[in-house]
Amino acid sequence: MAGADSDDSLYPIAVLIDELRNEDVQLRLNSIKKLSTIALALGVERTRTELLPFLTDTIYDEDEVLLALAEQLGNFTMLVGGPEYVHCLLPPLESLATVEETVVRDKAVESLRKISHEHSPVDLEVHFEPLVKRLASGDWFTSRTSACGLFSVCYPRVSSTVKAEIRQHFRTLCSDDTPMVRRAAASKLGEFAKVLELEYVKSDIISLFTALASDEQDSVRLLAVEAGVSIATLLPQEDLEALVMPTLRQAAEDKSWRVRYMVADKFSDLQKAVGPEITKNDLVPAFQNLLKDCEAEVRAAAANKVKEFCENLPEDSRETIIMTHILPCVKELVSDTNQHVKSALASVIMGLSTILGKDNTIEHLLPLFLAQLKDECPEVRLNIISNLDCVNEVIGIRQLSQSLLPAIVELAEDAKWRVRLAIIEYMPLLAGQLGVEFFDEKLNSLCMAWLVDHVYAIREAATCNLMKLVEKFGAEWAQNTIVPKVLGMANDPNYLHRMTTLFCINALSEVCGQEITTKHMLPVVFKMSNDQVANVRFNVAKSLQKIGPVLDSNCLQTEVKPVLEKLASDQDMDVKYFAQEAISGRIKKMKRNRK
Amino acid sequence: SALAMSSASTTPPSVDKVDGFSRKSVRKAKQKRSQSSSQFRSQGKPIELTPLPLLKDVSAQEQPELFLKKLQQCCAVFDFMDTLSDLKMKEYKRSTLNELVDYVTVSRGYLTEQAYPEVVKMVSYNIFRTLPPSDSNEFDPEEDEPTLEASWPHLQLVYEFFIRFLESQEFQPSIAKKYIDQKFVLQLLELFDSEDPRERDYLKTVLHRIYGKFLGLRAFIRKQINNIFLRFVYETEHFNGVAELLEILGSIINGFALPLKAEHKQFLVKVLIPLHTVRSLSLFHAQLAYCIVQFLEKDPALTEPVIRGLLKFWPKTCSQKEVMYLGELEEILDVIEPTQFVKIQEPLFKQISKCVSSPHFQVAERALYYWNNEYIMSLIEENSNVILPIMFTSLYRISKEHWNPAIVALVYNVLKAFMEMNSTLFDELTSTYKSDRQREKKKEKEREELWKRLEDLELKRSLQSDGIIPT
């Protein structure tokens, strides 16, 4: 930082602080966001002795400003003189960690966690750990909440006496009077357990976990579920049954649906954490119950996990468990009363075919797929169609094609444009799996119909879809099937359809190659340069710019250039503008090519 | 036993909401307008209750015993989402509840000590339940119908019965407090999240009675309401019963003894003021403003922190909320003491000056209406030498530039009023208007230059130090 001092006099702190105190919040915010610049102007010493005390003393501001400050201070280590002085940042961050607004507090904690790593072990004990203790025993719940997030970062690097104190503080917060603090503690329990020695995990953490998991507030209990999963990964297999399973079992049957939802949501992690034996004995029945839960929210969360759960079952008994325990529940979910349950299931059910193999898929899963393909809810059908690839690998898509077609046609004509959009996106995939013959016969007309949809987003997606189809089926196919139809639209009375021709040409020229573009497309584009609608004409200019790279330079010079020049003298401003753009863009390109 | 309990474990669960459950897609799916407790699974087992004689048909000595039996029968909870099951028994329970309501209203000497736990048990079994997932995240009170509780035909009578019980002349809090305890209150408070406004209305009365009769529970109730509000503000922004709880608080605050305890002041500053930040403020703003004004009438010294709090949380983008804030401020100004007004007038009128020049005419209009308020006018007049310079720039500019002619007209009136109040200062401000603007522009330019110089410096340094300085 040599040479810093010489400039200091230029920037009296008063001026800078004036900026931080400006009446206009926006200006204050701007100044805080450039706090590092101010610190730099002051140099490390004055930042420590003047700027930081000012910030610490005057923390009463709009939360937005405080948030920016909390974030800045996390990156301030070098600006106060490096790790040796990093503890100077603690006082302002401590104040920020007690603020009411959650986002400010969380950011302050995040910054504190960050700079904790820059403390030496000695500084950690002398400066950082006392701060954590102060926060942990603060009067108002906010500081205690913040403390919860700081234990795990200092624990691994302090002496055993201090460690014991930290554990004690954490214990106290787990049984805090206010549910806000207990929630914060519950959400950090897993993280804290990870840095503790195994003996303390067993002696301390388990009892805290058990207590939080049976808290009177379900918002606390559900946070304990996630902690339970983390704790389970830390314990040796032989301790799991006695130490965590009773509590987890209880959570899976909690009277609050939110807790059960959480269990369902974390089910795959839980399964991995407890291993195959407990999975077989405990998780399978628990999973069945969740799939049959009385609340749709819980069933949907569980349905989402069906594939992952089955995949991770121990291989020796996987098929039996699925066939006898899981599949019956899945069958019921196919005709669930709630569409979100059905659609959650539809998004994963196809994955079961790889696990169960060809015969089981044909006998047991296929009827379910077919039922879901006929579901009244478009989202369910879409989810099935979007996962066809899994089935294709196992039994081939032909098995489904009879039912597939009506489903696709219906989605293609759905009244909601987002549904139509979604099915368009799967077209290239379907085309690849169903083959060119099937496609030409059954689906081609749909793809063309989308080009004249009344919603722009659909026409746009349809254009892009054509490009992907040509990538799959080749230029020759394009020339025989879609190009004539696309070009035919150039004579449509509706100017939007005529523009669609241009958009298609933009998308297709490159994949179709120079010959098709020059021979078939370009004449149509030229003809459209005389269109009576200005929007069509300026899109001609844009198209010519776009397809320029595909054409040879001779064609550009002798044919394209005159057309653009004519358009450049059009009476319409926009046409002129885009024609000129195209000309200058083209010139640039030619110059580049010459190089 | 004649009691075939359908759901054995009816220890009522808590109903907190947590982030992560606001998946709108799942919520939207629900088309049903009524909902029921989330504890029913398809049990299928019919509930059988053996009909008992009417209380009026038995002798006075036999009545207490029969009363208990009827209470026990009414612990059976029916699934109202299944409209076809247990029809006869549902009707029987309804008529029994009706009978119990009448009985506690008119009878004397029925309330034996044994009756208390049975009453509380019956009420608990019926009203305490896990509320089902809600779709009211997008609830718009002006557009949407609230979701109604399916079991209301029974539930209403249970609430009715409980209120009559609490209000009964024979009711003795000293006995009841063994059963109506902290846990009971906690579960009661959680029910305020019910989507059914009819239920919340009953709950309001119940809680009010309990607060009135159980002195030992008062601090606890206040603290739990505190927690509900804090979570509502800082964690979930979702709780259906905020307006009802505030309404109860309004009368609680009214009864606070003077001087106010630190606990109560903290509640005002750290809970009630932040409640103004919530998105759905319009649903409970009237009740909230009432509470605030109650506090200020109790202790005028709280005016400054309250107004500073409102200014801190002043809405940045939501004009509707701004109008609400302005309305509340006027209510506060209506009761403000002149000595308090002087303390807060500068920041206050800086904000009002911004509102007056809001491009949203409703905001500007609402702020300008202050000048129709005689008491506020008298305060402004007394302090015109401070307020006029703050307001002048905005007013002068709007009178020239605002798009809405109604606003311009209002501003003319305000300017006229100021001119009459303090013509010397007014003339002075008019004559220096231009030079003041120029001075401001110059200052603005200086700021830009300062930052430019600072940035150059930063660039230079970061080159020197090879990029170790964070930007």
Side-chain angles (χ1 to χ4, degrees), chain A residues 24-137:
Chain A
D24 187 333
V25 190
Q26 195 50 49
L27 289 178
R28 242 164 28 231
L29 190 60
N30 291 345
S31 314
I32 284 284
K33 285 186 174 160
K34 291 176 186 161
L35 198 61
S36 59
T37 310
I38 294 181
L40 205 56
L42 290 173
V44 292
E45 200 177 324
R46 296 185 65 197
T47 296
R48 286 199 303 267
T49 55
E50 294 174 62
L51 182 61
L52 287 177
F54 165 76
L55 291 173
T56 315
D57 292 341
T58 53
I59 292 179
Y60 174 85
D61 204 333
E62 307 241 354
D63 293 326
E64 215 181 337
V65 177
L66 297 184
L67 174 68
L69 178 60
E71 186 171 8
Q72 290 282 315
L73 291 178
N75 299 319
F76 243 56
T77 309
M78 290 317 284
L79 294 163
V80 293
E84 198 184 332
Y85 296 98
V86 68
H87 59 85
C88 299
L89 297 172
L90 295 179
L93 282 171
E94 181 175 354
S95 307
L96 289 167
T98 64
V99 161
E100 256 80 24
E101 178 51 54
T102 329
V103 284
V104 176
R105 231 184 314 136
D106 288 351
K107 189 53 88 180
V109 170
E110 193 186 313
S111 288
L112 279 169
R113 287 168 71 111
K114 208 167 171 184
I115 65 169
S116 74
H117 303 296
E118 282 152 358
H119 282 70
S120 68
V122 175
D123 281 351
L124 206 63
E125 280 197 23
V126 176
H127 299 287
F128 198 89
E129 203 269 340
L131 168 145
V132 178
K133 269 197 255 175
R134 279 195 301 277
L135 288 174
S137 43

Side-chain angles (χ1 to χ4, degrees), chain B residues 150-288:
Chain B
S151 63
W152 193 242
H154 286 174
L155 210 53
Q156 177 182 16
L157 293 171
V158 174
Y159 278 117
E160 197 70 54
F161 167 79
F162 191 40
I163 291 170
R164 306 278 176 103
F165 166 76
L166 291 169
E167 289 174 350
S168 151
Q169 289 182 346
E170 299 188 1
F171 178 76
Q172 288 181 288
S174 54
I175 303 173
K177 73 178 182 194
K178 268 182 266 173
Y179 313 104
I180 297 178
D181 55 6
Q182 293 195 347
K183 185 152 191 247
F184 184 92
V185 166
L186 201 58
Q187 297 177 94
L188 197 68
L189 283 169
E190 277 158 0
L191 286 177
F192 275 83
D193 194 22
S194 165
E195 274 187 45
D196 193 327
R198 300 168 304 181
E199 179 169 23
R200 297 201 303 270
D201 209 48
Y202 271 103
L203 284 165
K204 193 171 70 187
T205 314
V206 170
L207 187 66
H208 209 161
R209 296 290 168 275
I210 293 179
Y211 192 87
K213 292 187 190 271
F214 297 84
L215 304 187
L217 286 172
R218 287 185 176 182
F220 181 78
I221 291 174
R222 288 196 307 268
K223 200 167 98 190
Q224 294 310 320
I225 294 180
N226 227 313
N227 288 343
I228 288 175
F229 285 169
L230 286 169
R231 191 159 63 109
F232 173 65
V233 174
Y234 294 115
E235 294 182 26
T236 61
E237 288 218 353
H238 181 92
F239 192 84
N240 289 310
V242 175
E244 283 82 2
L245 291 176
L246 284 169
E247 214 177 310
I248 299 171
L249 281 167
S251 60
I252 293 179
I253 296 164
N254 209 343
F256 281 162
L258 288 173
L260 288 175
K261 287 188 200 161
E263 174 213 329
H264 301 326
K265 291 185 192 167
Q266 191 180 51
F267 174 69
L268 169 68
V269 174
K270 296 211 166 187
V271 183
L272 288 184
I273 297 292
L275 263 179
H276 287 85
T277 61
V278 174
R279 208 173 10 165
S280 56
L281 177 67
S282 63
L283 297 181
F284 54 85
H285 181 250
Q287 291 83 349
L288 179 58

Side-chain angles (χ1 to χ4, degrees), chain B residues 89-145:
Chain B
M89 287 299 120
K90 280 178 187 165
E91 176 52 29
Y92 171 71
K93 179 174 167 183
R94 201 188 59 79
S95 63
T96 307
L97 283 168
N98 258 323
E99 192 195 359
L100 291 176
V101 171
D102 289 344
Y103 186 69
V104 292
T105 318
V106 297
S107 301
R108 292 283 169 272
Y110 72 95
L111 253 184
T112 58
E113 258 197 81
Q114 297 98 295
Y116 284 88
E118 292 304 322
V119 167
V120 174
K121 188 171 136 200
M122 191 278 276
V123 170
S124 304
Y125 272 38
N126 280 281
I127 68 171
F128 294 154
R129 62 207 192 279
T130 303
L131 296 173
S134 110
D135 43 19
S136 65
N137 244 22
E138 307 115 87
F139 185 77
D140 177 347
E142 298 192 345
E143 295 270 324
D144 303 333
E145 293 280 321

Side-chain angles (χ1 to χ4, degrees), chain A residues 260-271:
Chain A
R260 301 196 303 273
Y261 172 97
M262 200 53 137
V263 174
D265 197 47
K266 302 279 166 231
F267 217 79
S268 301
D269 298 332
L270 181 60
Q271 186 184 9

Side-chain angles (χ1 to χ4, degrees), chain B residues 337-348:
Chain B
E337 287 186 0
T339 48
Q340 297 297 324
F341 181 82
V342 175
K343 285 189 201 163
I344 199 71
Q345 56 181 350
E346 278 190 54
L348 178 62

Side-chain angles (χ1 to χ4, degrees), chain A residues 4 19 22-23 37 40 62 75 100 102 177 179 183 216-219 255 257-258 261 294-295 297 340, chain B residues 13-14 16-17 21 25-26 29 38 130-131 133 223 227 231 234-235 270 316 447 451 458 461 470:
Chain A
E19 283 296 294
N22 195 297
E23 241 172 62
T37 310
L40 205 56
E62 307 241 354
N75 299 319
E100 256 80 24
T102 329
D177 205 23
R183 276 193 288 276
E216 63 197 5
Q217 306 246 338
D218 64 354
S219 55
K255 61 202 169 203
W257 63 271
R258 289 185 187 83
Y261 172 97
C294 59
E295 286 300 343
E297 263 79 359
H340 294 283
Chain B
S14 41
D16 299 349
K17 299 247 159 83
F21 291 104
S25 58
V26 173
S38 125
T130 303
L131 296 173
K223 200 167 98 190
N227 288 343
R231 191 159 63 109
Y234 294 115
E235 294 182 26
K270 296 211 166 187
K316 300 246 179 351
R447 153 171 311 106
W451 280 107
E458 182 173 32
R461 293 243 178 111

Side-chain angles (χ1 to χ4, degrees), chain A residues 546-574:
Chain A
K546 197 108 185 179
I547 65 177
V550 183
L551 305 171
D552 68 44
S553 54
N554 185 29
C555 169
L556 284 174
Q557 265 316 321
T558 58
E559 298 184 59
V560 175
K561 201 176 156 203
V563 174
L564 282 175
E565 277 164 356
K566 197 186 87 195
L567 289 173
S569 57
D570 199 282
Q571 59 198 12
D572 185 275
M573 280 222 329
D574 295 320

